[in-house]
Amino acid sequence: MNSVLESILRRPRSVLTMMVVMFLAGIAAYVSIPKEANPDIDVPVFYVSVTQQGISPEDAERLLVRPLETQLRGLDGLKEVTAVASEGHAGVVLEFNIDFDKDQALSDVRDKVDQARAELPDEADEPQIFETNFSLIPTIIVAVSGDVPERTLYAHARRLKDRLEAISSVLEADLSGHREELLEVVIDMMKLESYDITQQELLDSLARNNQLIPAGFIDTGKGRFNLKVPGLVETAADVYSLPIRQNGEAVVTLGDVAEIRRTFKDPSTFTRVNGKPAIAVQVKKRVGTNIIENNQEVRRAVAEFTKDWPSSIRVDFLLDQSTFIYEVLGSLEMTILTAIFLVMVIVLAALGPRSGLLVGLAIPTSFMVGFLFLGFTGITLNMMVMFGLVLTVGMLVDGAIVVVEYADRKIAEGMHRTEAYIRAAKLMLWPVMSSTATTLAAFLPMLLWPGVPGEFMGYLPKMVIIVLSASLITAMIFLPVMGGLLGRTKADPHEVELARSLSGDDHFHPEWVKGLTGAYVRLLARLIRRPGLVLAGAVAVAVLIVTLFTRYGNGVEFFVEEEPDQAVVLVSGRGNLSAIEARDLVGQVEREVLAVHGLKNVVMTSYASGGRNGGVKLGDVQDKPADLIGEMNLEFSDFCCRRPASEIFEEIRERVAPIAGIKVETRKIEGGPPTGKDVR
């Protein structure tokens, strides 16, 4: 190993060229690596949902849940099945083992749901399968609101959705908070009787139309022509012209016996943004794309597309995750720069300017080489990766300090700096590798952490391993070559005298070493003569630390408590409330919340009892109440310009306390993997 290392170090031009190329490639990798707030992990949970209008919870359990459970519980790798039956709906939650193959599991779930579909009632809607994927959370929400007719708002939002989906980095843009458009046919019974048309004739006529009919082709011997039978309803005029009865040349159409008008389905949910009716466009980015560039392109496209819109329609951007990422990455970058500065100050004070700068160069070089490796592994730049960088700032200079310190010693003994650094690299190779290996061994168990928290936290040890491995390459290859070119050429007389005395045959005396280092050497000499006392002191300190932590510690948390940027207000109400009644009750809470200072955006979604689905979400929480009739997603103002969230929550609770018939709960959005309540 030493001979291979020496042969590499004897080629300084090749080593420096490789270092510069890897450094520049690391910078390019840092710029191009997709950036996001939380790690993109595969959560082993799927949700199968089936709806059937008007079915009772008991019938939903018997007719919807049981056929699904029978098929799904035999899936490979399935850990737990949880089913919920409610009025008009049935849902099955499938939790797999964390080491599952996501694509294979999704394919198996679809196959089993297709098999169960034959046993479901004909009136049941098509089962829907939802996968839990943090990367499919909207990266930015565009809210279109205003005091304008509903059809106008819907038309503008639908055109904006089409424009945003044309962006290459956008996976999809989903509309929420709108009602599905339809044609309403009002039959005139007097006209129906005057034409002597029965209701069954009317229904049969409607059933025979709006169908795609494969008409084949005609071969005349001189040519071949495809035939197309116009049977699909595409416009309102097609509905008017649907034939019901024909007598001779007279044809009675649907337009002769009915009034047809455009309308919307009856409302089941209501959405408002900051007190105004709104439709939200939830934009999701493609996996592996840069969220910052994606959201900038979305904002640019929205500004260009809406510049000619009427002033009565307002466009708001909600939960722009790139803003949060800017803040997190900016704070972590400043933390890293501050740590580098402090390390440099200490190194310069201990080793001197030239040797200190050599050690300082190891920090950015190791980081850039680490980012290059990071780009090869396909890991995104997220919060846990940046925390790993903060952890390694002080550790990655250890090997560089050892090499530089030993080389300075040999230079003080009269060796040329090039030979001194090569000798230092050869002799310190195994000690530095052993030191790095012991540090990595402390982080390796984190890679074995099971479950979703292990997937989430696993990015931190991965980044530590990558950066410390890069620091080993820097300390053993790049630094000796740079030291041979930039290291100091001679030492001061005191260092020369000390080196000569240490390398001679005379017995070493701690009094020869001066300054703070000499005080440490003399203390170490005394302690070495009393090993029993040192071991007893170490055990006593360890016992004291454990005792004090056990007695005065504040407990253990998975993620530290932090000031939230978002929160959710949950409104529960008992009884079979209609969508209108739920809207009015939740609206009372909304008016009180809007009067609270310190909120940037308030998004209200209400729904009838048992009809919770969809809605505009700035974030999500676990374990929502079963009798939920509405929720408000709160986005706080900047922390610099508002009160703490605890005071805002307290004011909300005081304001809504007089409202009768409902229960209001405030929750902040949890950091890290969602955990829900302590007791369920």
Side-chain angles (χ1 to χ4, degrees):
M1 181 69 76
N2 283 335
S3 60
V4 174
L5 179 62
E6 182 175 2
S7 64
I8 294 175
L9 298 180
R10 295 292 181 185
R11 296 170 174 82
R13 292 183 179 179
S14 300
V15 172
L16 290 176
T17 302
M18 182 175 65
M19 184 188 75
V20 172
V21 170
M22 295 182 72
F23 188 87
L24 296 178
I27 295 176
Y30 176 76
V31 173
S32 61
I33 288 176
K35 300 172 179 62
E36 54 189 5
N38 295 316
D40 179 17
I41 62 177
D42 290 332
V43 180
V45 176
F46 295 95
Y47 180 66
V48 182
S49 173
V50 182
T51 58
Q52 181 177 342
Q53 202 69 287
I55 192 171
S56 67
E58 293 81 2
D59 292 336
E61 178 191 6
R62 179 170 53 88
L63 300 176
L64 301 180
V65 168
R66 288 184 180 176
L68 288 172
E69 276 188 324
T70 302
Q71 295 292 339
L72 293 171
R73 63 190 176 191
L75 289 170
D76 293 336
L78 190 61
K79 180 180 178 182
E80 183 178 354
V81 180
T82 304
V84 177
S86 59
E87 184 174 352
H89 175 262
V92 180
V93 180
L94 306 171
E95 182 180 357
F96 288 81
N97 297 322
I98 193 61
D99 56 351
F100 80 129
D101 184 336
K102 181 177 180 180
D103 295 333
Q104 183 62 42
L106 182 58
S107 177
D108 293 343
V109 170
R110 285 174 176 163
D111 291 341
K112 294 296 185 181
V113 170
D114 289 341
Q115 295 176 23
R117 181 71 181 91
E119 303 177 26
L120 300 180
D122 295 336
E123 297 79 10
D125 296 329
E126 190 72 23
Q128 293 181 298
I129 303 173
F130 301 94
E131 58 180 299
T132 306
N133 191 337
F134 289 163
S135 64
L136 296 181
I137 296 175
T139 59
I140 187 171
I141 298 175
V142 184
V144 182
S145 60
D147 292 323
V148 296
E150 183 178 6
R151 191 176 305 281
T152 301
L153 200 65
Y154 176 61
H156 283 75
R158 189 171 55 184
R159 290 196 295 268
L160 179 60
K161 160 188 163 69
D162 295 338
R163 173 63 183 88
L164 294 180
E165 287 185 335
I167 300 174
S168 60
S169 59
V170 172
L171 176 64
E172 59 183 355
D174 296 331
L175 289 182
S176 62
H178 67 289
R179 291 192 289 164
E180 187 177 345
E181 194 172 13
L182 50 80
L183 286 176
E184 185 179 35
V185 179
V186 182
I187 303 297
D188 189 333
M189 298 304 296
M190 295 293 294
K191 291 183 179 180
L192 206 63
E193 291 179 5
S194 66
Y195 285 112
D196 193 23
I197 298 175
T198 65
Q199 293 186 6
Q200 188 61 42
E201 284 183 281
L202 180 62
L203 294 175
D204 291 342
S205 175
L206 294 176
R208 287 194 300 265
N209 288 277
N210 195 28
Q211 294 183 3
L212 182 63
I213 302 174
F217 59 89
I218 293 178
D219 192 341
T220 65
K222 296 183 179 180
R224 181 182 174 116
F225 305 94
N226 291 325
L227 293 181
K228 179 181 179 182
V229 178
L232 292 178
V233 173
E234 297 180 352
T235 64
D238 295 335
V239 181
Y240 272 102
S241 60
L242 288 178
I244 299 176
R245 172 183 288 184
Q246 180 177 3
N247 289 325
E249 295 183 359
V251 178
V252 181
T253 64
L254 185 60
D256 295 329
V257 297
E259 178 187 356
I260 303 174
R261 54 177 179 258
R262 296 173 63 187
T263 184
F264 293 92
K265 282 187 175 181
D266 292 337
S268 58
T269 63
F270 291 93
T271 299
R272 288 205 290 260
V273 174
N274 298 325
K276 302 289 184 181
I279 298 176
V281 186
Q282 304 183 30
V283 181
K284 302 174 184 177
K285 74 176 184 70
R286 296 185 183 276
V287 176
T289 56
N290 193 311
I291 186 176
I292 297 176
E293 296 177 357
N294 175 76
N295 288 9
Q296 287 176 344
E297 180 62 23
V298 168
R299 286 179 174 270
R300 187 198 64 78
V302 170
E304 180 181 349
F305 190 77
T306 61
K307 61 183 179 182
D308 298 328
W309 282 15
S311 58
S312 56
I313 298 179
R314 179 176 174 178
V315 178
D316 296 298
F317 295 97
L318 311 176
L319 192 65
D320 185 349
Q321 290 192 18
S322 64
T323 303
F324 172 71
I325 293 174
Y326 267 129
E327 294 175 357
V328 171
L329 294 183
S331 300
L332 289 174
E333 286 172 354
M334 290 305 300
T335 302
I336 292 171
L337 292 176
T338 303
I340 292 174
F341 173 76
L342 295 175
V343 170
M344 286 294 299
V345 169
I346 296 174
V347 171
L348 287 172
L351 302 180
R354 185 170 293 193
S355 298
L357 287 175
L358 279 175
V359 174
L361 286 174
I363 299 176
T365 303
S366 299
F367 277 172
M368 292 304 108
V369 175
F371 282 126
L372 180 60
F373 292 161
L374 196 69
F376 288 145
T377 59
I379 298 177
T380 58
L381 189 62
N382 53 63
M383 175 176 61
M384 301 309 298
V385 168
M386 297 298 285
F387 284 160
L389 292 178
V390 175
L391 273 179
T392 56
V393 170
M395 294 187 289
L396 61 84
V397 297
D398 292 345
I401 291 175
V402 170
V403 172
V404 170
E405 184 72 19
Y406 189 84
D408 287 347
R409 161 81 178 278
K410 291 302 177 182
I411 292 172
E413 293 177 0
M415 188 178 292
H416 188 270
R417 63 182 180 184
T418 301
E419 298 299 326
Y421 275 95
I422 292 177
R423 181 175 177 81
K426 290 171 58 179
L427 292 182
M428 295 298 146
L429 174 62
W430 290 110
V432 171
M433 288 182 64
S434 302
S435 174
T436 304
T438 54
T439 305
L440 296 181
F443 287 93
L444 287 177
M446 294 186 68
L447 294 175
L448 306 177
W449 194 342
V452 175
E455 291 286 319
F456 188 89
M457 298 296 295
Y459 285 86
L460 186 139
K462 290 177 184 177
M463 194 59 199
V464 171
I465 292 172
I466 289 174
V467 174
L468 289 185
S469 300
S471 71
L472 182 63
I473 297 174
T474 302
M476 293 293 100
I477 298 178
F478 298 152
L479 185 63
V481 173
M482 289 190 295
L485 299 175
L486 305 176
R488 61 179 181 175
T489 56
K490 60 181 180 179
D492 58 61
H494 172 69
E495 291 178 325
V496 172
E497 182 63 29
L498 181 60
R500 183 178 296 112
S501 63
L502 293 175
S503 60
D505 297 331
D506 297 337
H507 185 69
F508 171 71
H509 295 286
E511 291 75 14
W512 295 348
V513 185
K514 306 298 183 183
L516 184 61
T517 305
Y520 165 71
V521 171
R522 287 186 286 275
L523 174 63
L524 189 62
R526 295 190 184 96
L527 293 177
I528 288 176
R529 299 188 186 98
R530 301 174 177 84
L533 179 62
V534 174
L535 291 176
V539 172
V541 171
V543 172
L544 179 63
I545 292 174
V546 173
T547 303
L548 293 177
F549 180 79
T550 303
R551 183 170 182 178
Y552 300 105
N554 294 322
V556 178
E557 291 179 329
F558 182 66
F559 259 69
V560 296
E561 287 288 333
E562 59 180 356
E563 186 66 21
D565 295 322
Q566 307 155 36
V568 177
V569 177
L570 304 176
V571 183
S572 304
R574 293 292 177 91
N576 295 322
L577 300 175
S578 67
I580 303 296
E581 292 173 322
R583 180 199 62 185
D584 295 339
L585 285 172
V586 179
Q588 297 181 47
V589 180
E590 180 194 30
R591 286 191 291 273
E592 298 297 335
V593 171
L594 287 172
V596 176
H597 296 289
L599 300 179
K600 184 178 180 181
N601 290 301
V602 177
V603 181
M604 186 275 281
T605 304
S606 66
Y607 18 72
S609 298
R612 178 184 49 167
N613 55 22
V616 183
K617 297 182 180 180
L618 293 183
D620 207 351
V621 293
Q622 300 291 302
D623 304 327
K624 291 182 179 179
D627 52 357
L628 194 67
I629 61 172
E631 56 187 292
M632 269 159 285
N633 295 272
L634 313 180
E635 187 174 8
F636 294 120
S637 303
D638 293 337
F639 181 69
C640 64
C641 312
R642 65 169 171 87
R643 300 168 291 167
S646 58
E647 297 182 12
I648 295 177
F649 290 159
E650 182 62 31
E651 182 178 350
I652 291 175
R653 286 191 288 267
E654 292 176 357
R655 284 179 171 272
V656 302
I659 303 176
I662 59 172
K663 176 185 176 183
V664 178
E665 183 181 358
T666 57
R667 296 193 203 173
K668 68 176 184 177
I669 302 300
E670 299 175 337
T675 57
K677 291 184 176 181
D678 296 332
V679 178
R680 309 189 196 183

